[in-house]
């Protein structure tokens, strides 16, 4: 077995938390159950990984199998990576039958014709997700297995989720291979990024609970704002205001859990509006400014702002449009024309 | 009765009993809460400031998150001749003690303690502060 492969497997196993190693090796399926029985999972990870490498040696593992283990690790710990969303466009309305073998062949062919030194690995999962791992090399160097790109493609949708490696120069090639393989004619990056892959899927596949206009616009009186205090001696003076805020919040955010995003970024290229007497800027240039909201769970925290009394309800549509518009990066420019208000560029 | 700001909504006027004590809660982590309290003070009848108003500053346990200077709150207390209490609601022990203090003040303000009026009590508290 190649030394580099051995080292790669050793390092991959070291990344896995000790309690998870056995399950992950079982999912991998490269080592037999009998071999797994011989492993002592109660020693330090260093030793466990050495033993695993020994067993892989016995089975003559190559980089292909090692790459599969890496995909399995990244599938389980997908939230450690930052994912971007790309949307593909078809030229016509042809509904073509998706053939996975054809897809793989075309994808590999396109990449390999441009770059000889690549490692390409596929793994399909039950939810129709195709995971692709690409390790990139150069015409003169073998692929760097430690900085691969991951692509998640749901074949029934035009969306691709990419966690690129640091080497951004390979991105155009990757995109090209994707559209060739999937029979689309164009691909564009959406302004939507997050660590939570499932939340990104929820947003673009519209799987989160949205609020639709109901036939009866009047709110249901029974909707409780918060659990009624057990003590009836506590009287809320602003109950009607609290209920209004709750109702508005429900309308905007819906009742269910929000997709998990970590930040929203607004790039402002607007004119500085101030008292004309103050004259902060000599030139009438757009004031460039970047506003970034960060949170472990941005949408949930936005949802709780008004009920917590920290913001007025309703919230600015710039914040609340994030899931509907499927974007968390915005550019705000001056609207040219009759109404000099800022507008959001596409 | 809990309210987010003053004045109180007028639609509940007929349901409200006599008000004996107003406790203004200021979250030391939120400048906004101080602003809200300052704006609400303008809606309080002057007679309440004879011992029936108290400022309660919460969140003082989290030293790193203070947004308001205690000086500013003390000045507010002096300006309105009302005591300022500090507490940390996240600690059960302090929460209970603070509640007991407020309850004692309320008993005095409601006239349940013979021989002690709200005014005499608050001037008692003021004198001890000046030490």
């Amino acid at each position: 077995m190649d030394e580099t492969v051995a080292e790669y497997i050793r390092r991959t196993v070291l990344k896995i938390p000790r309690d998870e190693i056995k399950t992950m090796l079982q999912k991998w399926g490269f080592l037999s159950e009998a071999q797994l029985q011989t492993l002592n999972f109660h020693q330090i990870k260093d030793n466990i990984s050495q033993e695993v490498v020994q067993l892989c040696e016995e089975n003559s593992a190559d980089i292909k199998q090692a790459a599969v283990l890496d995909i399995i690790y990244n599938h389980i710990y997908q939230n450690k990576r930052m994912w971007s969303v790309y949307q593909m466009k078809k030229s016509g309305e042809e509904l073509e039958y998706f053939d996975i073998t054809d897809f793989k062949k075309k994808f590999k062919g396109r990449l390999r014709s441009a770059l000889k030194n690549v490692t390409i690995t596929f793994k399909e999962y039950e939810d129709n997700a195709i995971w692709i791992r690409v390790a990139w090399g150069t015409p003169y160097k073998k692929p760097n297995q430690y900085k691969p790109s991951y692509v998640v493609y749901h074949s029934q949708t035009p969306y691709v989720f990419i966690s690129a490696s640091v080497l951004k120069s390979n991105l155009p090639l990757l995109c090209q291979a994707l559209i060739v393989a999937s029979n689309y004619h164009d691909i564009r990056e959406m302004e939507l990024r997050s660590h939570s892959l499932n939340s990104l899927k929820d947003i673009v596949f519209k799987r989160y609970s949205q609020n639709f206009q109901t036939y009866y616009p009047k709110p249901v009186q029974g909707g409780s704002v918060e659990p009624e205090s057990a003590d009836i001696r506590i009287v809320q003076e602003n109950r009607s205001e609290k209920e209004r805020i709750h109702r508005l919040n429900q309308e905007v955010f819906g009742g269910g859990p929000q997709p998990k995003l970590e930040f929203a970024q607004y790039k402002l290229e607007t004119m500085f509006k101030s008292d004309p007497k103050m004259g902060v800027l000599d030139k009438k240039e757009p004031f460039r400014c970047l506003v970034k909201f960060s949170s472990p769970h941005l949408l949930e925290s936005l949802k709780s702002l008004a009920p917590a009394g920290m913001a007025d309800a309703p919230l600015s549509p710039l914040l609340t449009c994030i899931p509907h518009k499927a974007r968390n990066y915005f550019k705000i420019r001056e609207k040219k024309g009759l109404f000099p208000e800022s507008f959001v560029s596409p | 009765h809990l309210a987010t700001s003053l004045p109180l909504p007028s639609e509940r006027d007929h349901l409200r009993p006599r008000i004996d004590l107003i406790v203004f809660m200021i979250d030391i982590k939120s400048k906004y809460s101080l602003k809200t309290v300052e704006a609400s003070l303008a809606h309080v009848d002057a007679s309440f400031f004879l011992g029936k108003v108290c400022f309660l500053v919460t969140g003082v346990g989290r030293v790193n998150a203070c947004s308001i200077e205690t000086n500013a709150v003390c000045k507010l207390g002096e300006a309105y001749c009302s005591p300022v209490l500090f507490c940390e609601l996240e600690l059960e022990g302090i929460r209970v003690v603070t509640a007991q203090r407020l309850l004692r003040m309320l008993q005095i303000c409601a006239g349940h303690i013979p021989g002690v009026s709200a005014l005499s009590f608050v001037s008692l508290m003021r004198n001890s502060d000046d030490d």
Side-chain angles (χ1 to χ4, degrees), chain A residues 234-238 240 309, chain B residues 1-4 9 12 16 32:
Chain A
I234 299 176
V235 176
Q236 296 276 4
E237 287 284 343
N238 307 94
S240 54
Chain B
H1 285 234
L2 300 176
T4 54
R12 298 183 59 90
R16 227 171 275 127
Y32 179 67

Side-chain angles (χ1 to χ4, degrees), chain A residues 153-168:
Chain A
Y153 175 47
H154 285 251
S155 53
Q156 305 305 315
T157 76
Y159 296 103
V160 183
F161 305 89
I162 300 182
S163 177
S165 59
V166 184
L167 313 157
K168 290 246 159 70

